[in-house]
């Protein structure tokens, strides 16, 4: 029996069974659904994209996977080189893993050991309130969302602050000599409620990290590849460590990467074996994943995906700006994301089936009804998604 995610198995409703998928649509046996959430924000090119599908097939004809321990291969070498060229600043060193959560674990492990290797004791992490960085244990520790992680106790070495510059400055003033890193989901906090904040906070964070020799980590697993309206927030403010996942492979295969700058990498480089980063996911640098990731980046560049995202943002603003209802706390929009936050989560009960009956797959959570559509969506399809969201309030 399948144990499904984020569900009480005894009371969960039967999931929709998908038999095919193409473009922005999922297909059950008798219904076509526009996927408004891109399979947890990853399928940016849509389903069954011929270029990406061919990349997987072609690589599988050679081999699907070999370990990176003592071995290497062309797809991982090419992807690493492409990311080195493509990413801003001196984010040049790629450590691959098999999921975003693990990639965050690697980033946090890097930050802690970076100081340990210098015989400096800095065990605390600064993070944001309402943050979510994954469901593995260290990722849970730096997260701040009790709806997901209430069963696992308090965080001993993590300080959480709101996205307000005075709180940021105070935290550095009080704890700078204890901090190894500040980790943020830049500009857009995903699973914590699609919360959006200003770039000025990120810029001040960079200044303070430089002043007090604290590493800055960007978790762009959800925000990367254009979701905020920027290619990466790292293009605006460069972190010391960047974490990417989800859309890295266009949603085809689970894969992620933790990218370090020269300063961090040099903290592990030397003749002493004890300085090495002792981590190694079995499927890191998977050949299928690297091959499809390379083609995904190629599509993003050659087909001007930033223009597609700007079009999505403009249509969304046109359709949603000024939409109000007494049950709605706020409508938030940024890049390829729109969120309707309600006061009472009971208001959203039944919406998923309501949307299903109108040809849209949606998965609201807690108080948040949102859309993060594939970037290849047509205007009429996007309007259908947004009209369905509005209709829920207009018909009740």
């Amino acid at each position: 029996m399948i144990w499904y995610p984020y569900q009480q198995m005894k009371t969960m409703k039967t999931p929709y069974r998908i038999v095919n998928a193409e473009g922005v649509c999922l297909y059950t046996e008798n219904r076509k659904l526009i996927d408004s959430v891109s399979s947890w924000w990853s399928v940016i090119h849509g389903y069954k994209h011929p270029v990406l599908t061919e990349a997987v097939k072609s690589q599988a004809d050679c081999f699907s996977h070999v370990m990176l321990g003592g071995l290497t291969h062309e797809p991982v070498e090419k992807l690493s080189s492409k990311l080195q060229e493509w990413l801003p600043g001196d984010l040049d060193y790629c450590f691959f893993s098999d999921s975003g959560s693990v990639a965050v674990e690697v980033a946090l492990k890097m930050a802690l050991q970076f100081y340990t290797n210098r015989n400096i004791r800095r065990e605390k992490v600064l993070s944001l309130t309402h943050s979510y960085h994954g469901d593995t244990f260290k990722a849970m520790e730096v997260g701040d969302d009790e709806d997901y992680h209430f069963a696992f106790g308090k965080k001993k070495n993590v300080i959480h602050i709101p996205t307000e510059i005075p709180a940021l400055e105070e935290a550095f003033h009080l704890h700078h000599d204890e901090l190894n890193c500040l980790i943020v989901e830049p500009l857009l906090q995903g699973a914590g409620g699609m919360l959006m904040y200003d770039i000025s906070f990120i810029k001040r964070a960079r200044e303070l990290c430089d002043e007090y020799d604290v590493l800055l980590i960007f978790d762009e697993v959800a925000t990367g590849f254009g979701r905020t309206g920027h290619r990466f927030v790292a293009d605006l403010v460069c972190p010391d460590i960047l974490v990417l996942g989800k859309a890295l492979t266009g949603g085809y295969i689970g894969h992620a990467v933790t990218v370090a700058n020269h300063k961090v990498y040099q903290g592990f480089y030397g003749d002493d074996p004890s300085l090495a980063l002792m981590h190694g996911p079995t499927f890191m640098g998977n050949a299928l994943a690297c091959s499809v990731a390379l083609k995904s980046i190629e599509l993003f560049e050659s087909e001007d995906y930033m223009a597609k995202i700007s079009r999505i943002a403009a249509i969304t603003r046109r359709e949603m700006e000024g939409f109000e209802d007494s049950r709605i706390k706020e409508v938030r929009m940024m890049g390829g994301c729109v969120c309707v936050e309600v006061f009472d989560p009971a208001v959203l009960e039944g919406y998923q089936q309501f949307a299903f009956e109108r040809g849209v797959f949606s998965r609201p959570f807690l108080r948040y009804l949102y859309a993060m559509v594939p970037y290849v969506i047509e205007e009429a399809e996007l309007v259908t998604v947004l009209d369905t969201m509005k209709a829920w309030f207009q018909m009740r």
Side-chain angles (χ1 to χ4, degrees), residues 4 98 208 229 248 264 274 362 390:
Y4 288 93
D98 44 9
L208 290 165
L248 176 65
V264 173
S274 71
S362 178
K390 292 189 288 186

Side-chain angles (χ1 to χ4, degrees), residues 260-271:
N261 67 8
H262 288 229
K263 172 184 172 180
V264 173
Y265 181 79
Q266 288 299 320
F268 294 79
Y269 193 78
D271 295 321

